[in-house]
Amino acid sequence: MDIFVEHITKNYVARETGSPAALDDVSLHIRSGELLALLGPSGSGKTTLLRVIAGLEFANRGRIRFGDLDATGIPVQKRGVGFVFQHYALFRHMNVFDNIAYGLRVRERATRPPEAEIRRRVEELLSLVQLATFEDRYPAQLSGGQRQRVALARALAIEPRMLLLDEPFGALDARVRKDLRRWLREIHDRTGQTTIFVTHDQEEALGIADRVAILKDGRIEQVGTPDEVHDDPASPFVMTFIGDTAALNVNIRNGAVLHAGKRLPIVGSSAGEGPGTLYVRPGHVQLAQTAGASLTGRVVSLRRFSSGQRAEVRLHGTGELVEAELPAGSHVNSGQDVGVNLGQVRIFR
C-alpha cells in the first residue's frame, strides 16, 4: 500500500515563541512494498514523522493518505499499523506466544479470530522469526535480539497495512545489530510489507533500505536509493552526513577550480562562479609522489579501519585536512610529505 505524506507541519509549541517546527512542510511518497529508511541526526524530525504516520501524533497542518484513504483524522487504533519500538515494549508477565497473540485476542468480538486461527498465525510467525521453540519463554529469559524478534512478530500478527520501526536496533550491541539488519531485510523480502524505519545509523540505512529519506531540522533534504544519496548528494549537509568527507575552500573562475590560487584538474563550471566548497571522500583521495601532484601535504596520522588503513594529510599552504584510503601494501609514515590527487569530488556554492 502506498503512503502519502502531504505538506505535514508539526509544532510542539506555539509558533509565536520562535521555536522551529518539528516538521516543516514535509511531503513524501512511500511506495507500496518498499523498505524506506528515515535517516538524520537527533532532532531532525524523523521519529516525529513516523509517529504522525502511525497516528501517535497529529499534525498541525497537512494530511496523511494510505492509498486513496485519507487517514489524517483516523486514530492509531484504527490505522492498522504495526509499530516496533527501540525498547521492545513486551509484556513481562506474558510468555512469547501470548505476547505475539495479544493484538489478535484484544480485537472486538466481531473481528477476533477463533483461538485455533490465532494459534496457527502465532506459530507461523514464530517460525518466520526463527523462535519456534521459544513460545513458552518469558521476555526476561530472552536476549535483546530475541526480544526484538518477538516485538516484530507481534507487530506482524495483526496483518498491518504497514510496519513502522523506531530505532529498532538502537539498544543492541554492534554484532547483534548487524545480524538483525540482515534478518530484517530477509523478513521484508519474504512478506513484502510496506516498511518505514527510523535510524541515525548511516550504515544501517544504506545497508538494507530500498530508499533513504534524509531529514534535517524538520525538512527532507533528499530522498533516493542508497547509491543516489551517497554518490550524488543534493546538498552540503547530505554530503557531510553520509560518510566521511573532507571540505576544501576553492574559487571557481571561468570554469576553473582554484585552490589557494593553484588550478586543480577539475571541471567546476556546473557549480557557478565564485567562492565554493569542494567535498571529497577518503576513497577518492590518492597519495602520490610530490612532484606533479595536484596538492601536497604532510601525513599527520594513520588510522586502522576494519576495511583497511587511512592516512590523514594536512595540506601545505592552507592547513586543511584530507583523509586518503590506502591501497593494500601501501607504505607511508606519519610526518612524511606526500602528493595528493583528487578523484570524484562535489562542489557546492
Side-chain angles (χ1 to χ4, degrees), residues 87-96 99 134-148 150:
H87 295 289
Y88 326 123
L90 299 179
F91 298 112
R92 291 179 294 178
H93 65 288
M94 293 183 184
N95 62 23
V96 167
N99 261 287
F134 287 71
E135 66 175 66
D136 294 325
R137 296 195 187 184
Y138 287 83
Q141 298 172 305
L142 304 176
S143 69
Q146 290 167 343
R147 291 177 198 172
Q148 199 58 289
V150 175

PDB file of all heavy atoms in Angstrom, residues 87-96 99 134-148 150:
ATOM      1  N   HIS A  87      12.786  -0.208  22.581  1.00  0.00           N
ATOM      2  CA  HIS A  87      12.927  -0.977  23.820  1.00  0.00           C
ATOM      3  C   HIS A  87      11.859  -2.061  23.954  1.00  0.00           C
ATOM      4  O   HIS A  87      11.363  -2.328  25.050  1.00  0.00           O
ATOM      5  CB  HIS A  87      12.926  -0.035  25.023  1.00  0.00           C
ATOM      6  CG  HIS A  87      14.115   0.883  25.050  1.00  0.00           C
ATOM      7  ND1 HIS A  87      15.389   0.437  25.316  1.00  0.00           N
ATOM      8  CD2 HIS A  87      14.232   2.208  24.795  1.00  0.00           C
ATOM      9  CE1 HIS A  87      16.234   1.450  25.259  1.00  0.00           C
ATOM     10  NE2 HIS A  87      15.573   2.526  24.931  1.00  0.00           N
ATOM     11  N   TYR A  88      11.464  -2.642  22.801  1.00  0.00           N
ATOM     12  CA  TYR A  88      10.665  -3.867  22.735  1.00  0.00           C
ATOM     13  C   TYR A  88       9.219  -3.680  23.178  1.00  0.00           C
ATOM     14  O   TYR A  88       8.312  -4.104  22.507  1.00  0.00           O
ATOM     15  CB  TYR A  88      11.296  -5.016  23.542  1.00  0.00           C
ATOM     16  CG  TYR A  88      12.795  -5.033  23.559  1.00  0.00           C
ATOM     17  CD1 TYR A  88      13.510  -5.000  24.748  1.00  0.00           C
ATOM     18  CD2 TYR A  88      13.530  -5.080  22.374  1.00  0.00           C
ATOM     19  CE1 TYR A  88      14.891  -5.011  24.761  1.00  0.00           C
ATOM     20  CE2 TYR A  88      14.918  -5.086  22.375  1.00  0.00           C
ATOM     21  CZ  TYR A  88      15.588  -5.039  23.573  1.00  0.00           C
ATOM     22  OH  TYR A  88      16.947  -5.047  23.588  1.00  0.00           O
ATOM     23  N   ALA A  89       8.977  -3.113  24.397  1.00  0.00           N
ATOM     24  CA  ALA A  89       7.626  -2.907  24.930  1.00  0.00           C
ATOM     25  C   ALA A  89       6.854  -4.216  25.022  1.00  0.00           C
ATOM     26  O   ALA A  89       5.651  -4.267  24.774  1.00  0.00           O
ATOM     27  CB  ALA A  89       6.866  -1.881  24.084  1.00  0.00           C
ATOM     28  N   LEU A  90       7.538  -5.301  25.390  1.00  0.00           N
ATOM     29  CA  LEU A  90       6.867  -6.580  25.584  1.00  0.00           C
ATOM     30  C   LEU A  90       6.227  -6.633  26.967  1.00  0.00           C
ATOM     31  O   LEU A  90       6.681  -5.976  27.911  1.00  0.00           O
ATOM     32  CB  LEU A  90       7.864  -7.736  25.436  1.00  0.00           C
ATOM     33  CG  LEU A  90       8.564  -7.877  24.081  1.00  0.00           C
ATOM     34  CD1 LEU A  90       9.535  -9.052  24.113  1.00  0.00           C
ATOM     35  CD2 LEU A  90       7.553  -8.044  22.955  1.00  0.00           C
ATOM     36  N   PHE A  91       5.165  -7.429  27.087  1.00  0.00           N
ATOM     37  CA  PHE A  91       4.529  -7.640  28.391  1.00  0.00           C
ATOM     38  C   PHE A  91       5.347  -8.668  29.170  1.00  0.00           C
ATOM     39  O   PHE A  91       5.446  -9.832  28.779  1.00  0.00           O
ATOM     40  CB  PHE A  91       3.093  -8.128  28.208  1.00  0.00           C
ATOM     41  CG  PHE A  91       2.212  -7.136  27.485  1.00  0.00           C
ATOM     42  CD1 PHE A  91       1.743  -7.408  26.212  1.00  0.00           C
ATOM     43  CD2 PHE A  91       1.867  -5.930  28.085  1.00  0.00           C
ATOM     44  CE1 PHE A  91       0.937  -6.503  25.543  1.00  0.00           C
ATOM     45  CE2 PHE A  91       1.054  -5.013  27.419  1.00  0.00           C
ATOM     46  CZ  PHE A  91       0.595  -5.295  26.150  1.00  0.00           C
ATOM     47  N   ARG A  92       5.911  -8.223  30.270  1.00  0.00           N
ATOM     48  CA  ARG A  92       6.821  -9.095  31.032  1.00  0.00           C
ATOM     49  C   ARG A  92       6.117 -10.282  31.646  1.00  0.00           C
ATOM     50  O   ARG A  92       6.729 -11.328  31.876  1.00  0.00           O
ATOM     51  CB  ARG A  92       7.528  -8.281  32.119  1.00  0.00           C
ATOM     52  CG  ARG A  92       8.532  -7.281  31.558  1.00  0.00           C
ATOM     53  CD  ARG A  92       9.183  -6.480  32.657  1.00  0.00           C
ATOM     54  NE  ARG A  92       8.215  -5.618  33.340  1.00  0.00           N
ATOM     55  CZ  ARG A  92       8.496  -4.840  34.375  1.00  0.00           C
ATOM     56  NH1 ARG A  92       9.724  -4.845  34.870  1.00  0.00           N
ATOM     57  NH2 ARG A  92       7.567  -4.082  34.911  1.00  0.00           N
ATOM     58  N   HIS A  93       4.800 -10.150  31.945  1.00  0.00           N
ATOM     59  CA  HIS A  93       4.073 -11.240  32.601  1.00  0.00           C
ATOM     60  C   HIS A  93       3.509 -12.251  31.609  1.00  0.00           C
ATOM     61  O   HIS A  93       2.878 -13.231  32.002  1.00  0.00           O
ATOM     62  CB  HIS A  93       2.924 -10.670  33.436  1.00  0.00           C
ATOM     63  CG  HIS A  93       1.867  -9.984  32.623  1.00  0.00           C
ATOM     64  ND1 HIS A  93       2.077  -8.758  32.029  1.00  0.00           N
ATOM     65  CD2 HIS A  93       0.603 -10.370  32.293  1.00  0.00           C
ATOM     66  CE1 HIS A  93       0.976  -8.400  31.385  1.00  0.00           C
ATOM     67  NE2 HIS A  93       0.073  -9.364  31.517  1.00  0.00           N
ATOM     68  N   MET A  94       3.734 -12.009  30.303  1.00  0.00           N
ATOM     69  CA  MET A  94       3.250 -12.924  29.271  1.00  0.00           C
ATOM     70  C   MET A  94       4.415 -13.646  28.617  1.00  0.00           C
ATOM     71  O   MET A  94       5.482 -13.066  28.430  1.00  0.00           O
ATOM     72  CB  MET A  94       2.484 -12.157  28.181  1.00  0.00           C
ATOM     73  CG  MET A  94       1.188 -11.542  28.612  1.00  0.00           C
ATOM     74  SD  MET A  94       0.378 -10.766  27.162  1.00  0.00           S
ATOM     75  CE  MET A  94      -1.049 -10.020  27.967  1.00  0.00           C
ATOM     76  N   ASN A  95       4.172 -14.908  28.254  1.00  0.00           N
ATOM     77  CA  ASN A  95       5.217 -15.621  27.531  1.00  0.00           C
ATOM     78  C   ASN A  95       5.243 -15.163  26.072  1.00  0.00           C
ATOM     79  O   ASN A  95       4.439 -14.316  25.648  1.00  0.00           O
ATOM     80  CB  ASN A  95       5.047 -17.136  27.652  1.00  0.00           C
ATOM     81  CG  ASN A  95       3.743 -17.643  27.046  1.00  0.00           C
ATOM     82  OD1 ASN A  95       3.148 -17.002  26.179  1.00  0.00           O
ATOM     83  ND2 ASN A  95       3.297 -18.811  27.504  1.00  0.00           N
ATOM     84  N   VAL A  96       6.181 -15.711  25.303  1.00  0.00           N
ATOM     85  CA  VAL A  96       6.369 -15.279  23.917  1.00  0.00           C
ATOM     86  C   VAL A  96       5.093 -15.484  23.104  1.00  0.00           C
ATOM     87  O   VAL A  96       4.659 -14.589  22.359  1.00  0.00           O
ATOM     88  CB  VAL A  96       7.547 -16.044  23.284  1.00  0.00           C
ATOM     89  CG1 VAL A  96       7.561 -15.868  21.772  1.00  0.00           C
ATOM     90  CG2 VAL A  96       8.870 -15.584  23.894  1.00  0.00           C
ATOM     91  N   ASN A  99       2.458 -12.881  24.040  1.00  0.00           N
ATOM     92  CA  ASN A  99       2.835 -11.541  23.571  1.00  0.00           C
ATOM     93  C   ASN A  99       2.482 -11.369  22.100  1.00  0.00           C
ATOM     94  O   ASN A  99       1.929 -10.337  21.705  1.00  0.00           O
ATOM     95  CB  ASN A  99       4.331 -11.315  23.780  1.00  0.00           C
ATOM     96  CG  ASN A  99       4.654 -10.527  25.028  1.00  0.00           C
ATOM     97  OD1 ASN A  99       4.434  -9.317  25.098  1.00  0.00           O
ATOM     98  ND2 ASN A  99       5.158 -11.221  26.036  1.00  0.00           N
ATOM     99  N   PHE A 134      10.555 -21.220  21.303  1.00  0.00           N
ATOM    100  CA  PHE A 134      10.638 -20.266  22.407  1.00  0.00           C
ATOM    101  C   PHE A 134       9.264 -19.805  22.902  1.00  0.00           C
ATOM    102  O   PHE A 134       9.178 -18.888  23.706  1.00  0.00           O
ATOM    103  CB  PHE A 134      11.439 -19.028  21.970  1.00  0.00           C
ATOM    104  CG  PHE A 134      12.915 -19.258  21.832  1.00  0.00           C
ATOM    105  CD1 PHE A 134      13.421 -20.034  20.795  1.00  0.00           C
ATOM    106  CD2 PHE A 134      13.811 -18.711  22.731  1.00  0.00           C
ATOM    107  CE1 PHE A 134      14.776 -20.246  20.658  1.00  0.00           C
ATOM    108  CE2 PHE A 134      15.174 -18.922  22.606  1.00  0.00           C
ATOM    109  CZ  PHE A 134      15.657 -19.700  21.572  1.00  0.00           C
ATOM    110  N   GLU A 135       8.178 -20.430  22.480  1.00  0.00           N
ATOM    111  CA  GLU A 135       6.855 -19.877  22.759  1.00  0.00           C
ATOM    112  C   GLU A 135       6.509 -19.829  24.245  1.00  0.00           C
ATOM    113  O   GLU A 135       5.727 -18.971  24.667  1.00  0.00           O
ATOM    114  CB  GLU A 135       5.775 -20.646  22.005  1.00  0.00           C
ATOM    115  CG  GLU A 135       5.571 -22.088  22.438  1.00  0.00           C
ATOM    116  CD  GLU A 135       4.393 -22.721  21.701  1.00  0.00           C
ATOM    117  OE1 GLU A 135       4.475 -22.889  20.469  1.00  0.00           O
ATOM    118  OE2 GLU A 135       3.396 -23.042  22.371  1.00  0.00           O
ATOM    119  N   ASP A 136       7.098 -20.692  25.055  1.00  0.00           N
ATOM    120  CA  ASP A 136       6.769 -20.713  26.481  1.00  0.00           C
ATOM    121  C   ASP A 136       7.712 -19.867  27.336  1.00  0.00           C
ATOM    122  O   ASP A 136       7.532 -19.760  28.553  1.00  0.00           O
ATOM    123  CB  ASP A 136       6.785 -22.152  27.009  1.00  0.00           C
ATOM    124  CG  ASP A 136       5.677 -23.007  26.397  1.00  0.00           C
ATOM    125  OD1 ASP A 136       4.579 -22.449  26.151  1.00  0.00           O
ATOM    126  OD2 ASP A 136       5.907 -24.207  26.145  1.00  0.00           O
ATOM    127  N   ARG A 137       8.702 -19.246  26.726  1.00  0.00           N
ATOM    128  CA  ARG A 137       9.636 -18.420  27.490  1.00  0.00           C
ATOM    129  C   ARG A 137       9.060 -17.026  27.726  1.00  0.00           C
ATOM    130  O   ARG A 137       8.203 -16.553  26.985  1.00  0.00           O
ATOM    131  CB  ARG A 137      10.972 -18.313  26.767  1.00  0.00           C
ATOM    132  CG  ARG A 137      11.691 -19.640  26.623  1.00  0.00           C
ATOM    133  CD  ARG A 137      13.127 -19.441  26.244  1.00  0.00           C
ATOM    134  NE  ARG A 137      13.788 -20.711  25.938  1.00  0.00           N
ATOM    135  CZ  ARG A 137      15.074 -20.828  25.650  1.00  0.00           C
ATOM    136  NH1 ARG A 137      15.850 -19.747  25.623  1.00  0.00           N
ATOM    137  NH2 ARG A 137      15.602 -22.002  25.382  1.00  0.00           N
ATOM    138  N   TYR A 138       9.589 -16.391  28.763  1.00  0.00           N
ATOM    139  CA  TYR A 138       9.179 -15.028  29.108  1.00  0.00           C
ATOM    140  C   TYR A 138      10.272 -14.043  28.662  1.00  0.00           C
ATOM    141  O   TYR A 138      11.436 -14.442  28.477  1.00  0.00           O
ATOM    142  CB  TYR A 138       8.916 -14.932  30.606  1.00  0.00           C
ATOM    143  CG  TYR A 138       7.639 -15.633  31.015  1.00  0.00           C
ATOM    144  CD1 TYR A 138       7.630 -17.010  31.244  1.00  0.00           C
ATOM    145  CD2 TYR A 138       6.445 -14.921  31.138  1.00  0.00           C
ATOM    146  CE1 TYR A 138       6.460 -17.666  31.595  1.00  0.00           C
ATOM    147  CE2 TYR A 138       5.269 -15.566  31.488  1.00  0.00           C
ATOM    148  CZ  TYR A 138       5.277 -16.942  31.707  1.00  0.00           C
ATOM    149  OH  TYR A 138       4.108 -17.583  32.036  1.00  0.00           O
ATOM    150  N   PRO A 139       9.909 -12.763  28.474  1.00  0.00           N
ATOM    151  CA  PRO A 139      10.898 -11.787  27.988  1.00  0.00           C
ATOM    152  C   PRO A 139      12.203 -11.782  28.770  1.00  0.00           C
ATOM    153  O   PRO A 139      13.274 -11.612  28.182  1.00  0.00           O
ATOM    154  CB  PRO A 139      10.147 -10.461  28.113  1.00  0.00           C
ATOM    155  CG  PRO A 139       8.718 -10.832  27.881  1.00  0.00           C
ATOM    156  CD  PRO A 139       8.559 -12.176  28.550  1.00  0.00           C
ATOM    157  N   ALA A 140      12.136 -11.967  30.084  1.00  0.00           N
ATOM    158  CA  ALA A 140      13.351 -11.949  30.900  1.00  0.00           C
ATOM    159  C   ALA A 140      14.290 -13.100  30.568  1.00  0.00           C
ATOM    160  O   ALA A 140      15.474 -13.054  30.904  1.00  0.00           O
ATOM    161  CB  ALA A 140      12.988 -11.985  32.382  1.00  0.00           C
ATOM    162  N   GLN A 141      13.764 -14.133  29.914  1.00  0.00           N
ATOM    163  CA  GLN A 141      14.573 -15.298  29.564  1.00  0.00           C
ATOM    164  C   GLN A 141      15.158 -15.201  28.148  1.00  0.00           C
ATOM    165  O   GLN A 141      15.781 -16.155  27.682  1.00  0.00           O
ATOM    166  CB  GLN A 141      13.718 -16.569  29.678  1.00  0.00           C
ATOM    167  CG  GLN A 141      13.202 -16.824  31.084  1.00  0.00           C
ATOM    168  CD  GLN A 141      12.200 -17.968  31.121  1.00  0.00           C
ATOM    169  OE1 GLN A 141      11.198 -17.965  30.402  1.00  0.00           O
ATOM    170  NE2 GLN A 141      12.475 -18.960  31.960  1.00  0.00           N
ATOM    171  N   LEU A 142      14.972 -14.052  27.500  1.00  0.00           N
ATOM    172  CA  LEU A 142      15.424 -13.870  26.119  1.00  0.00           C
ATOM    173  C   LEU A 142      16.556 -12.858  26.048  1.00  0.00           C
ATOM    174  O   LEU A 142      16.667 -11.960  26.883  1.00  0.00           O
ATOM    175  CB  LEU A 142      14.269 -13.377  25.243  1.00  0.00           C
ATOM    176  CG  LEU A 142      12.996 -14.225  25.201  1.00  0.00           C
ATOM    177  CD1 LEU A 142      11.937 -13.520  24.367  1.00  0.00           C
ATOM    178  CD2 LEU A 142      13.285 -15.616  24.655  1.00  0.00           C
ATOM    179  N   SER A 143      17.371 -12.973  25.019  1.00  0.00           N
ATOM    180  CA  SER A 143      18.387 -11.957  24.737  1.00  0.00           C
ATOM    181  C   SER A 143      17.712 -10.737  24.108  1.00  0.00           C
ATOM    182  O   SER A 143      16.540 -10.793  23.694  1.00  0.00           O
ATOM    183  CB  SER A 143      19.440 -12.509  23.786  1.00  0.00           C
ATOM    184  OG  SER A 143      18.870 -12.712  22.497  1.00  0.00           O
ATOM    185  N   GLY A 144      18.453  -9.645  24.011  1.00  0.00           N
ATOM    186  CA  GLY A 144      17.904  -8.447  23.406  1.00  0.00           C
ATOM    187  C   GLY A 144      17.463  -8.671  21.973  1.00  0.00           C
ATOM    188  O   GLY A 144      16.397  -8.214  21.552  1.00  0.00           O
ATOM    189  N   GLY A 145      18.274  -9.375  21.201  1.00  0.00           N
ATOM    190  CA  GLY A 145      17.919  -9.659  19.821  1.00  0.00           C
ATOM    191  C   GLY A 145      16.671 -10.524  19.712  1.00  0.00           C
ATOM    192  O   GLY A 145      15.823 -10.312  18.833  1.00  0.00           O
ATOM    193  N   GLN A 146      16.528 -11.495  20.605  1.00  0.00           N
ATOM    194  CA  GLN A 146      15.340 -12.343  20.595  1.00  0.00           C
ATOM    195  C   GLN A 146      14.098 -11.550  20.978  1.00  0.00           C
ATOM    196  O   GLN A 146      13.021 -11.730  20.390  1.00  0.00           O
ATOM    197  CB  GLN A 146      15.544 -13.518  21.547  1.00  0.00           C
ATOM    198  CG  GLN A 146      16.571 -14.526  21.058  1.00  0.00           C
ATOM    199  CD  GLN A 146      17.005 -15.512  22.126  1.00  0.00           C
ATOM    200  OE1 GLN A 146      16.800 -15.290  23.331  1.00  0.00           O
ATOM    201  NE2 GLN A 146      17.618 -16.614  21.702  1.00  0.00           N
ATOM    202  N   ARG A 147      14.223 -10.649  21.946  1.00  0.00           N
ATOM    203  CA  ARG A 147      13.072  -9.808  22.318  1.00  0.00           C
ATOM    204  C   ARG A 147      12.616  -8.957  21.145  1.00  0.00           C
ATOM    205  O   ARG A 147      11.414  -8.783  20.924  1.00  0.00           O
ATOM    206  CB  ARG A 147      13.450  -8.910  23.497  1.00  0.00           C
ATOM    207  CG  ARG A 147      13.660  -9.633  24.801  1.00  0.00           C
ATOM    208  CD  ARG A 147      14.093  -8.658  25.886  1.00  0.00           C
ATOM    209  NE  ARG A 147      14.707  -9.345  27.001  1.00  0.00           N
ATOM    210  CZ  ARG A 147      15.319  -8.738  28.011  1.00  0.00           C
ATOM    211  NH1 ARG A 147      15.405  -7.414  28.033  1.00  0.00           N
ATOM    212  NH2 ARG A 147      15.851  -9.433  28.997  1.00  0.00           N
ATOM    213  N   GLN A 148      13.578  -8.425  20.387  1.00  0.00           N
ATOM    214  CA  GLN A 148      13.189  -7.583  19.261  1.00  0.00           C
ATOM    215  C   GLN A 148      12.522  -8.412  18.172  1.00  0.00           C
ATOM    216  O   GLN A 148      11.622  -7.925  17.486  1.00  0.00           O
ATOM    217  CB  GLN A 148      14.415  -6.842  18.719  1.00  0.00           C
ATOM    218  CG  GLN A 148      14.091  -5.632  17.865  1.00  0.00           C
ATOM    219  CD  GLN A 148      13.267  -4.596  18.584  1.00  0.00           C
ATOM    220  OE1 GLN A 148      12.084  -4.789  18.863  1.00  0.00           O
ATOM    221  NE2 GLN A 148      13.891  -3.468  18.886  1.00  0.00           N
ATOM    222  N   VAL A 150      10.579 -10.978  18.808  1.00  0.00           N
ATOM    223  CA  VAL A 150       9.219 -11.167  19.322  1.00  0.00           C
ATOM    224  C   VAL A 150       8.395  -9.908  19.072  1.00  0.00           C
ATOM    225  O   VAL A 150       7.229  -9.982  18.666  1.00  0.00           O
ATOM    226  CB  VAL A 150       9.243 -11.512  20.822  1.00  0.00           C
ATOM    227  CG1 VAL A 150       7.818 -11.575  21.387  1.00  0.00           C
ATOM    228  CG2 VAL A 150       9.955 -12.845  21.060  1.00  0.00           C
TER     229      VAL A 150
END
